[in-house]
């Protein structure tokens, strides 16, 4: 049997159920599709993926290709839509089965349906839960009974904890199909996508490039070498620096690490050094990520509507105030420093994300979805569920039972940047 492994945001070897599906096949072709449509601006001048994120993605693909080569395989990266490329490859190479992972967002689910419909007759599709913390069947409730308040979700999960295991890295993969010998493995350059290269921002707080290798090194540094995890709860609201937060969001967003492998590494740390409030808080944040993913799967397109999950009435503005916000030109020094960091580095601390989101919605009275879309373009660690779920939360149309989050910028600056050090860093 010949299998095509369709990589998406699961760019790793360790704990990858999709790869496991390919181990018993006679041949295996790992494929990634780079869709140029991701880089076409919408009517607001915003693209689905910016240059910082695509740079991290290409680094991740290069690392995955090198790792696959060590297993006797390699990664075929094609520029174009998956719904065109994958059926063509299956027809050309006589592929029997396409394996990939389940999707939880509407656009990705629709793409999966289109690809499936376009495959040659007889080519089957097998899907795995690849990037989730829990298997759906192991949760103490059905998808339809998913708690709509995070605290209730957390309490039920912690009262009836599902098992968490991770798959080992394969020792070997089947080779490519014989008919694929003329295909060239490897990763294109950013210029092949019609985009300009971007230099790494030296002021950035994101401490590692793309790829499973670098992500594993950073996780080891954070948990073991520096043991910065032990003060995570007390430093997580800081704005700048190498160790103030886990910085694992980029690795999770691209699937360079699985959430299960992170939890298992965290538990090993706790066994050796003891659990504390900070080690618990990393688990707490991973639960938030899972909560948003499950709810996106349940609610679908409601996640992206102005009124959100509750048909709310947030501000609807879309004018020059939004443009000044995204260009770091509001005239408010702290807000402009945050947006400068976002635009220059593709990263922003969690505290800063909340403050600039609140400022856009409540001070500038703009449509929250514009801010969410700008974050989608700019963030290296963009995750559809976490990004849109958190923006809706701030705007009061998501899962916050208290009806949104309004931040007083002056008070936030007094608490988190009283001496203006952060503003000074990102005003140069």
């Amino acid at each position: 049997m010949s299998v095509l492994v369709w990589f998406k945001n699961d760019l790793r070897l360790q704990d990858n159920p999709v790869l496991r599906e390919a181990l018993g096949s006679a041949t295996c072709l790992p494929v990634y599709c780079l869709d140029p449509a991701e880089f076409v601006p919408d009517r607001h001048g915003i693209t689905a993926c910016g240059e910082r994120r695509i740079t991290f993605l290409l680094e991740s693909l290069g690392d995955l290709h090198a790792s696959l080569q060590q297993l006797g395989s390699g990664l075929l990266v094609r520029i174009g839509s998956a719904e065109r490329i994958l059926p063509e490859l299956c027809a050309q190479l006589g592929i029997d089965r396409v394996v990939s992972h389940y999707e939880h967002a509407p656009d990705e689910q629709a793409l999966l349906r289109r690809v499936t419909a376009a495959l040659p007759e007889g080519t089957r599709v097998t899907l795995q839960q690849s990037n989730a913390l829990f298997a759906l069947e192991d949760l103490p409730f059905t998808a339809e009974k998913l708690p709509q308040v995070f605290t209730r979700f957390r309490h039920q999960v912690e009262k009836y904890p599902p098992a968490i295991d991770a798959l080992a890295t394969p020792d070997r993969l089947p080779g490519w199909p014989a008919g694929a010998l003329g295909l060239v493995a490897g990763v294109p350059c950013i210029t092949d996508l019609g985009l300009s290269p971007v230099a790494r921002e030296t002021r950035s707080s994101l401490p590692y490039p793309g790829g499973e290798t670098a992500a594993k090194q950073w996780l080891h540094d954070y948990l073991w070498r520096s043991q910065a995890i032990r003060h995570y709860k007390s430093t997580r609201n800081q704005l700048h620096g190498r160790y103030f937060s886990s910085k694992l969001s980029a690795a999770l967003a691209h699937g360079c690490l699985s959430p299960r492998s992170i939890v298992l590494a965290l538990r090993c740390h706790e066994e050796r050094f003891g659990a504390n409030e900070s080690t618990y808080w990393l688990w707490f944040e991973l639960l938030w990520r899972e909560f948003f993913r499950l709810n996106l799967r349940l609610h679908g397109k409601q996640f992206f509507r102005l009124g959100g999950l509750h048909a709310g009435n947030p501000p609807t503005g879309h004018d020059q105030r939004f443009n000044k916000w995204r260009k770091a030109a509001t005239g408010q020094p702290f807000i402009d420093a945050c947006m400068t960091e976002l635009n220059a580095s593709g990263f922003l601390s969690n505290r800063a994300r909340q403050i600039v989101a609140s400022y856009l919605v409540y001070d500038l009275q703009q449509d929250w979805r514009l801010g969410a879309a700008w974050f989608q373009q700019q963030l290296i660690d963009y995750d559809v569920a976490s990004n849109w779920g958190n923006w809706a939360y701030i705007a009061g149309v998501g899962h916050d039972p208290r009806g949104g989050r309004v931040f007083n910028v002056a008070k936030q600056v007094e608490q988190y940047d009283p001496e203006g050090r952060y503003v000074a860093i990102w005003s140069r």
Side-chain angles (χ1 to χ4, degrees):
M1 177 173 288
S2 185
V3 169
L4 185 151
V5 176
W6 179 16
F7 279 98
K8 292 178 281 186
N9 56 341
D10 53 348
L11 306 181
R12 63 182 185 275
L13 301 186
Q14 185 182 28
D15 192 34
N16 194 330
V18 173
L19 268 185
R20 181 185 60 182
E21 279 290 321
L23 293 181
S25 59
T27 63
C28 167
L29 180 66
V31 179
Y32 188 93
C33 299
L34 283 166
D35 192 342
E38 294 279 299
F39 318 120
V40 177
D42 65 9
R43 60 191 178 93
H44 304 302
I46 301 173
T47 64
C49 182
E51 291 173 345
R52 292 286 173 185
R53 179 148 51 93
I54 191 60
T55 299
F56 192 96
L57 171 60
L58 292 174
E59 292 169 345
S60 301
L61 292 172
D63 183 73
L64 177 62
H65 173 53
S67 297
L68 287 168
Q69 284 183 308
Q70 293 179 9
L71 301 184
S73 183
L75 182 66
L76 177 65
V77 179
R78 283 290 185 87
I79 298 174
S81 66
E83 59 196 283
R84 176 182 64 81
I85 290 170
L86 298 184
E88 286 180 357
L89 286 172
C90 289
Q92 174 187 344
L93 302 173
I95 299 291
D96 300 295
R97 189 160 61 110
V98 173
V99 296
S100 193
H101 62 72
Y102 283 104
E103 295 290 356
H104 57 281
D107 287 351
E108 287 75 8
Q109 290 171 340
L111 174 60
L112 186 57
R113 289 193 294 268
R114 293 196 301 272
V115 169
T116 301
L119 291 174
E121 185 177 355
T123 302
R124 297 185 294 112
V125 175
T126 302
L127 301 176
Q128 292 289 331
Q129 296 182 48
S130 182
N131 294 316
L133 185 55
F134 310 122
L136 288 174
E137 59 270 19
D138 292 340
L139 288 167
F141 38 73
T142 63
E144 294 73 20
K145 297 291 185 180
L146 177 68
Q148 293 303 287
V149 176
F150 172 71
T151 302
R152 295 176 192 155
F153 169 81
R154 176 173 63 88
H155 286 165
Q156 288 198 42
V157 168
E158 291 182 337
K159 185 175 181 181
Y160 305 101
I164 296 177
D165 296 305
L167 299 171
T169 300
D171 296 324
R172 190 81 181 164
L173 280 178
W176 283 22
L181 294 178
L183 301 177
V184 179
V187 180
C189 298
I190 193 170
T191 53
D192 296 327
L193 301 170
L195 303 174
S196 300
V198 289
R200 192 172 301 279
E201 172 54 65
T202 59
R203 295 170 291 177
S204 176
S205 290
L206 186 63
Y208 58 92
E212 181 180 18
T213 302
K216 283 182 172 180
Q217 291 170 348
W218 168 248
L219 181 62
H220 183 269
D221 184 357
Y222 188 70
L223 294 182
W224 300 99
R225 192 189 69 80
S226 70
Q227 294 192 38
I229 179 61
R230 304 204 65 78
H231 55 69
Y232 171 60
K233 190 171 188 294
S234 62
T235 61
R236 66 191 175 89
N237 282 316
Q238 292 179 7
L239 303 171
H240 190 76
R242 182 177 178 88
Y243 291 116
F244 72 84
S245 68
S246 78
K247 313 288 175 56
L248 291 168
S249 54
L252 284 167
H254 293 265
C256 302
L257 294 174
S258 77
R260 293 177 298 211
S261 64
I262 292 174
V263 169
L264 293 177
L266 178 65
R267 289 177 176 171
C268 287
H269 173 95
E270 290 177 327
E271 287 174 6
R272 180 171 177 182
F273 298 107
N276 67 10
E277 205 173 24
S278 288
T279 61
Y280 173 78
W281 215 256
L282 182 57
W283 160 256
F284 180 91
E285 295 296 348
L286 288 170
L287 286 181
W288 260 115
R289 176 182 181 274
E290 196 76 359
F291 175 74
F292 279 135
R293 287 171 61 87
L294 290 167
N295 270 288
L296 176 54
R297 191 164 182 164
L298 175 65
H299 295 289
K301 292 183 178 180
Q302 280 184 274
F303 239 64
F304 308 94
R305 293 173 182 163
L306 176 66
L309 305 182
H310 312 296
N313 294 293
T316 59
H318 177 204
D319 52 47
Q320 284 303 311
R321 288 173 291 181
F322 167 67
N323 291 327
K324 289 181 178 180
W325 176 85
R326 69 172 165 175
K327 294 177 181 178
T330 67
Q332 211 297 335
F334 182 79
I335 297 297
D336 291 345
C338 293
M339 297 306 293
T340 297
E341 180 183 9
L342 172 65
N343 295 340
S345 74
F347 185 78
L348 200 59
S349 69
N350 181 62
R351 174 59 51 172
R353 295 183 199 202
Q354 294 180 78
I355 296 170
V356 298
S358 171
Y359 186 82
L360 180 71
V361 174
Y362 299 109
D363 291 71
L364 302 184
Q365 291 288 296
Q366 300 296 288
D367 188 328
W368 67 271
R369 297 172 300 174
L370 294 170
W374 186 249
F375 270 32
Q376 175 174 346
Q377 173 182 299
Q378 297 296 85
L379 284 172
I380 289 172
D381 64 359
Y382 169 74
D383 173 272
V384 57
S386 294
N387 181 69
W388 288 84
N390 275 306
W391 270 93
Y393 195 93
I394 290 288
V397 296
H399 291 94
D400 188 354
R402 290 170 287 184
R405 286 287 189 274
V406 181
F407 288 81
N408 182 302
V409 176
K411 289 184 178 179
Q412 294 295 309
V413 171
E414 182 181 349
Q415 183 172 359
Y416 296 107
D417 194 34
E419 298 177 2
R421 293 178 180 175
Y422 175 78
V423 170
I425 291 170
W426 292 103
S427 295
R428 296 197 299 267

